[in-house]
Amino acid sequence: MKNLKAAILAAIIFYCACPRAAAQAPLYKDPKASPAERAADLLGRMTAEEKFGQLQQLDGLWEGDYRKEHLELAREGRLGSTLNVRFAANVNILQKEAVEHSRLGIPLLFAFDVIHGYRTIFPVPLGESAQWDPELAGKAASAAAEEAYSVGLKWTFAPMVDIARDPRWGRIVEGSGEDPYLGSRLAAARVRGFQGADFSAPGKLLACAKHWVGYGAAEAGRDYNSTNISRSALRNVYFPPFKAALDAGAATFMSAFNDLNGVPSTANKAAIAGTLRGDWGFKGFVVSDYTSVKELIAHGLAADEEDAAVKALSAGVDMEMVSTLYRDKGPAALSAGRLSLPVLDASVLRVLEMKFRAGIFEKPYIDPALETKKLLTPKTRKLALEAALKSLVLLRNTGGLLPLGPGLKKIAVVGALADSKTDMLGSWSADGKPADAVTLLEGVRETVSPGTEVVYSSGCSPSAGTDEELAKAVAAASEADVIIAAVGEEASMSGEASSRAFLSLPGRQLELLERLKKTGRPVVAVLFNGRPLELSWLDANIPAILEAWYPGTEGGRAVAQTLFGRSNPGGKLPVTFPLTLGQVPIYYAHRSTGRPPSAAEKYSSKYTDSPVEPLYPFGYGLSYSSFTYSGLSVTPAKIKADGKAIVKVAVTNSSSRSGDEIAQLYIRDAAGSETRPVRELKGFKRVTLSPGETKTLEFELGPAELGYYYEDGFAVEPGLFGVYASGSSEGGLEARLEVMP
Ligand code: BGC
């Protein structure tokens, strides 16, 4: 008996000490093992159904709740991720089903579109881009991540890095505009902001570079429309911001809705398996866009649901958002050999590995107490104010009408947008609350001197306005010293599925402006909009125009502080504003043509009924200060293809007011194996200069800036380069650089 007891005890001791016995706790649960080892171990334990389950992302309810069926799916291991489910009360309950009640305990990844802020709303991305300040954009992304994390989120579908050159496309508001260089700088900054150095850390999110790829080139600017993009444009224009996001460590990519040269992006093997994974070595996972797997049928690429599932998965789209074809049709396709097991396993591994890297196996739940501590703090509001201030672009300021002086007796604020909290927030305002937003009217009221009377009359909104309302506004304005007219678009007029066939001010707004002008009172137009608009009438008739985009929670305050000179506008356009719709698509980095526009030559590339020049070029923006550029130098003036030159230029504030200037560096590759754009942005710096101050700015031009993709690769071609330094994409100082053979 004694011996038996001793034997049992010995067995227990052996069992505990023996490494093989310890393997009872599976390797995938060991935080010390690498994510790859853990994922491989876990994969080996999964049924086919569980594998497809990890590739399924489902939508919750817009208010943040999960759907009832999610509980069961999570318990059965048939759900990998959700979008829109948020708040500790929902997230923790659903997560518990996955972590504690499913066979393998794989946590869910909670995603949400945190695009320009979560609760504290920053300017829309196009407005943020107008700051030309990647560091600030990174700070906003980081603040948004911290807020979003506090409500249980771990993944954002941002940054949106699509280059867009057609303002009819409503989603131009969500990106950085038309330029690959500016777009790349911002893409990298936003990824770093969301993810930090280690995205498993509390307060950080996985980023998602979207929409891969070419979505912004939708034909005729109509959302979801097909795209036809040359290889050269893909590699030199549309890819670079994605590559920058990847290099900055973006954990995930989203496949786009669009048909790309005949193969929809969501089944585009060349783009996903080829470029993204093959050429660039992307190790994260790719999620489809909302039902874009199922849409392969409507595209005419897939014959039926199974075909769609097989084609998307085989192209490398790992996770299916909302449609359920992988889950529903995958198992049969697998058994019949139409879907290969290695393809399925590779996708599952990528998703699992990312979940391990995200740290959610160790920290699946969110502390409910965080929610109240992290949202809309004085610190985030302050950052939102700074962001809004820096995003404003002064388009016109005839006779120095702005800034408005302190001695005004009466100011009329006109236009429904001046008092619309919702419209301050913009198109993807996550859990931003209109009530938190400061409107322009509120901003003006808190900024004016005590002796100034402020009268407000809505007149019209972009979508409504009666004769009486217009007449009332005009009457109210006709006695004011100055009229501030808020015009533009409602926030819902841009963004997804909000393409427009016209770029004019919608509704009766132009009529309102015409009548305000007739009062003879000076009019300041403040624009709230998500795309370049056709502003030629305004430019000819309204002395001061301030582009405010959708400036976010602190937007109205920022605009008012700028109108009254407490802040000096310094933003510049990240996108060209056409003179007229017929010029679209119009962008500064176009090629030359063999017959460049010439007034003297009929047979040159121009219109018979409109100038070819835009109203406001890319990079343009005024200030209450004025700046001069001098002393542009390029040293050395001749380099080898692998060499580097230093460009120096002095920028002087030649006014009596301190202000910001965004100095821009452009090149032109004069001749090459392929024709190159007439100008390409290759550097910029936003600097603050006090009155009379001069700063000498330095830029580097090396292979990364001088090269481009042609034939089989990226290279710098010998020859002459023009080098330009200026405050916009037009004009400026010019120098030369020669790349020697
Ligand atoms: C959009 C994506 C977005 C997704 C989830 C889609 O309709 O195209 O940009 O991330 O919805 O909300």
Side-chain angles (χ1 to χ4, degrees):
M1 187 65 185
K2 227 180 168 187
N3 280 350
L4 186 64
K5 271 191 178 165
I8 291 172
L9 196 64
I12 292 171
I13 292 168
F14 173 78
Y15 180 84
C16 295
C18 169
R20 292 197 64 186
Q24 282 294 73
L27 180 66
Y28 80 88
K29 293 204 166 161
D30 178 3
K32 283 192 226 83
S34 75
E37 285 167 338
R38 296 175 79 182
D41 176 70
L42 182 48
L43 181 80
R45 299 167 189 270
M46 293 168 80
T47 64
E49 200 177 47
E50 285 164 340
K51 289 179 185 175
F52 284 109
Q54 282 307 304
L55 307 186
Q56 180 69 61
Q57 180 181 65
L58 291 175
D59 198 355
L61 299 175
W62 181 243
E63 299 72 34
D65 208 346
Y66 49 80
R67 292 172 199 271
K68 266 213 177 92
E69 64 268 26
H70 293 171
L71 293 172
E72 195 184 331
L73 289 170
R75 212 177 306 132
E76 291 170 351
R78 293 168 65 214
L79 183 60
S81 170
T82 61
L83 70 152
N84 295 330
V85 175
R86 56 202 191 279
F87 311 123
N90 303 324
V91 163
N92 287 346
I93 291 175
L94 188 56
Q95 189 69 298
K96 193 169 178 179
E97 293 304 315
V99 171
E100 293 173 37
H101 300 143
S102 76
R103 198 175 71 86
L104 295 166
I106 308 173
L108 302 168
L109 196 49
F110 292 98
F112 194 48
D113 289 279
V114 181
I115 309 292
H116 51 105
Y118 170 74
R119 171 71 184 271
T120 309
I121 303 301
F122 299 95
V124 289
L126 193 62
E128 201 169 70
S129 186
Q131 301 162 344
W132 297 59
D133 191 341
E135 200 186 320
L136 184 56
K139 281 186 192 162
S142 167
E146 198 162 337
E147 286 193 338
Y149 177 86
S150 79
V151 299
L153 295 163
K154 194 61 200 171
W155 184 18
T156 177
F157 298 133
M160 191 275 220
V161 303
D162 294 312
I163 296 298
R165 294 178 161 183
D166 189 332
R168 291 173 294 183
W169 191 51
R171 301 196 79 169
I172 197 168
V173 65
E174 286 178 55
S176 299
E178 71 183 47
D179 186 66
Y181 180 84
L182 179 59
S184 299
R185 294 275 304 268
L186 286 162
R190 289 181 176 135
V191 167
R192 290 196 194 101
F194 287 127
Q195 296 192 165
D198 168 13
F199 53 66
S200 74
K204 294 295 168 199
L205 303 179
L206 309 190
C208 181
K210 71 184 189 185
H211 307 83
W212 180 252
V213 57
Y215 184 35
E219 276 186 359
R222 184 157 52 82
D223 206 2
Y224 315 123
N225 204 4
S226 304
T227 62
N228 286 292
I229 312 176
S230 71
R231 185 162 178 250
S232 168
L234 270 177
R235 295 194 298 171
N236 290 301
V237 178
Y238 292 92
F239 284 173
F242 285 96
K243 180 65 165 51
L246 185 149
D247 291 344
T252 68
F253 270 54
M254 185 186 291
S255 72
F257 286 125
N258 59 297
D259 180 315
L260 173 64
N261 299 333
V263 183
S265 292
T266 292
N268 200 309
K269 219 177 221 169
I272 302 170
T275 303
L276 183 58
R277 293 219 166 90
D279 300 347
W280 295 357
F282 175 60
K283 297 279 184 285
F285 73 85
V286 175
V287 62
S288 81
D289 204 342
Y290 208 102
T291 64
S292 69
V293 173
K294 190 164 185 184
E295 289 166 27
L296 295 176
I297 303 170
H299 273 293
L301 188 88
D304 55 30
E305 294 191 338
E306 184 187 295
D307 197 25
V310 171
K311 284 188 166 142
L313 200 45
S314 307
V317 174
D318 304 308
M319 186 178 276
E320 181 179 7
M321 188 193 290
V322 178
S323 54
T324 56
L325 308 193
Y326 287 8
R327 175 189 90 183
D328 299 343
K329 305 292 172 184
L334 194 65
S335 331
R338 288 186 291 269
L339 178 70
S340 92
L341 184 62
V343 163
L344 171 65
D345 284 353
S347 283
V348 178
L349 275 177
R350 286 191 282 261
V351 169
L352 292 176
E353 194 172 328
M354 196 51 76
K355 286 190 171 183
F356 285 114
R357 288 180 58 198
I360 56 173
F361 278 81
E362 281 64 55
K363 278 181 270 159
Y365 300 113
I366 189 71
D367 174 2
L370 272 188
E371 263 170 44
T372 47
K373 288 189 212 145
K374 295 284 180 187
L375 303 182
L376 198 68
T377 62
K379 208 170 135 202
T380 59
R381 277 204 101 116
K382 194 165 162 240
L383 187 61
L385 178 62
E386 182 190 353
L389 286 168
K390 286 197 163 166
S391 72
L392 303 177
V393 185
L394 184 63
L395 297 177
R396 187 169 150 81
N397 193 18
T398 317
L401 176 57
L402 293 177
L404 300 173
L408 299 166
K409 286 217 174 58
K410 191 170 183 174
I411 293 177
V413 178
V414 175
L417 285 172
D419 198 27
S420 168
K421 287 179 177 278
T422 308
D423 292 308
M424 285 307 94
L425 299 184
S427 51
W428 269 115
S429 47
D431 277 323
K433 306 259 176 286
D436 300 332
V438 181
T439 68
L440 172 57
L441 180 60
E442 289 169 337
V444 168
R445 288 209 164 113
E446 72 176 28
T447 310
V448 290
S449 329
T452 308
E453 184 193 351
V454 178
V455 292
Y456 170 68
S457 187
S458 72
C460 65
S461 73
S463 56
T466 62
D467 288 347
E468 293 72 40
E469 284 164 334
L470 257 74
K472 210 170 135 199
V474 175
S478 57
E479 284 166 13
D481 297 326
V482 131
I483 303 168
I484 300 173
V487 291
E489 301 174 311
E490 278 149 20
S492 60
M493 289 175 169
S494 57
E496 187 173 351
S498 296
S499 292
R500 292 185 58 201
F502 299 96
L503 297 176
S504 46
L505 284 177
R508 301 182 70 180
Q509 297 181 100
L510 195 56
E511 183 188 341
L512 176 67
L513 287 177
E514 283 166 355
R515 289 171 63 178
L516 292 175
K517 188 198 166 189
K518 281 198 192 129
T519 64
R521 306 290 164 172
V523 181
V524 177
V526 176
L527 293 165
F528 295 105
N529 51 304
R531 56 158 62 77
L533 292 171
E534 218 179 55
L535 300 173
S536 50
W537 186 90
L538 275 77
D539 185 70
N541 292 283
I542 302 292
I545 308 174
L546 184 70
E547 174 57 76
W549 318 103
Y550 300 111
T553 308
E554 289 285 312
R557 180 167 289 141
V559 174
Q561 292 188 358
T562 304
L563 295 179
F564 290 93
R566 294 206 197 155
S567 173
N568 190 349
K572 304 260 189 183
L573 295 179
V575 63
T576 304
F577 275 45
L579 183 70
T580 176
L581 174 63
Q583 296 177 323
V584 165
I586 182 169
Y587 48 93
Y588 84 94
H590 59 83
R591 292 181 157 111
S592 163
T593 88
R595 295 181 175 195
S598 151
E601 178 53 70
K602 174 173 166 59
Y603 293 95
S604 66
S605 179
K606 60 187 180 184
Y607 300 106
T608 56
D609 53 359
S610 163
V612 288
E613 292 79 22
L615 180 63
Y616 304 124
F618 174 85
Y620 167 83
L622 304 172
S623 157
Y624 300 152
S625 313
S626 45
F627 302 96
T628 50
Y629 287 69
S630 60
L632 175 65
S633 67
V634 181
T635 323
K638 291 183 182 190
I639 56 171
K640 292 262 193 204
D642 60 355
K644 281 183 176 166
I646 299 297
V647 179
K648 285 189 185 169
V649 67
V651 185
T652 303
N653 182 344
S654 44
S655 72
S656 55
R657 186 183 273 270
S658 168
D660 280 11
E661 169 65 340
I662 298 165
Q664 300 155 47
L665 177 77
Y666 295 88
I667 61 160
R668 177 173 186 176
D669 185 346
S673 300
E674 280 184 13
T675 56
R676 302 300 303 139
V678 294
R679 276 201 184 184
E680 292 178 84
L681 182 71
K682 292 297 172 185
F684 61 84
K685 283 192 172 130
R686 183 170 180 143
V687 285
T688 304
L689 295 169
S690 7
E693 186 184 357
T694 297
K695 274 187 184 156
T696 297
L697 308 179
E698 230 179 85
F699 302 90
E700 196 177 271
L701 288 178
E705 291 78 25
L706 299 169
Y708 70 102
Y709 287 92
Y710 67 98
E711 291 164 10
D712 288 331
F714 183 88
V716 180
E717 288 193 295
L720 273 184
F721 287 77
V723 177
Y724 311 85
S726 62
S728 99
S729 59
E730 285 182 357
L733 302 176
E734 181 175 353
R736 279 180 162 208
L737 172 66
E738 192 181 340
V739 174
M740 295 178 302

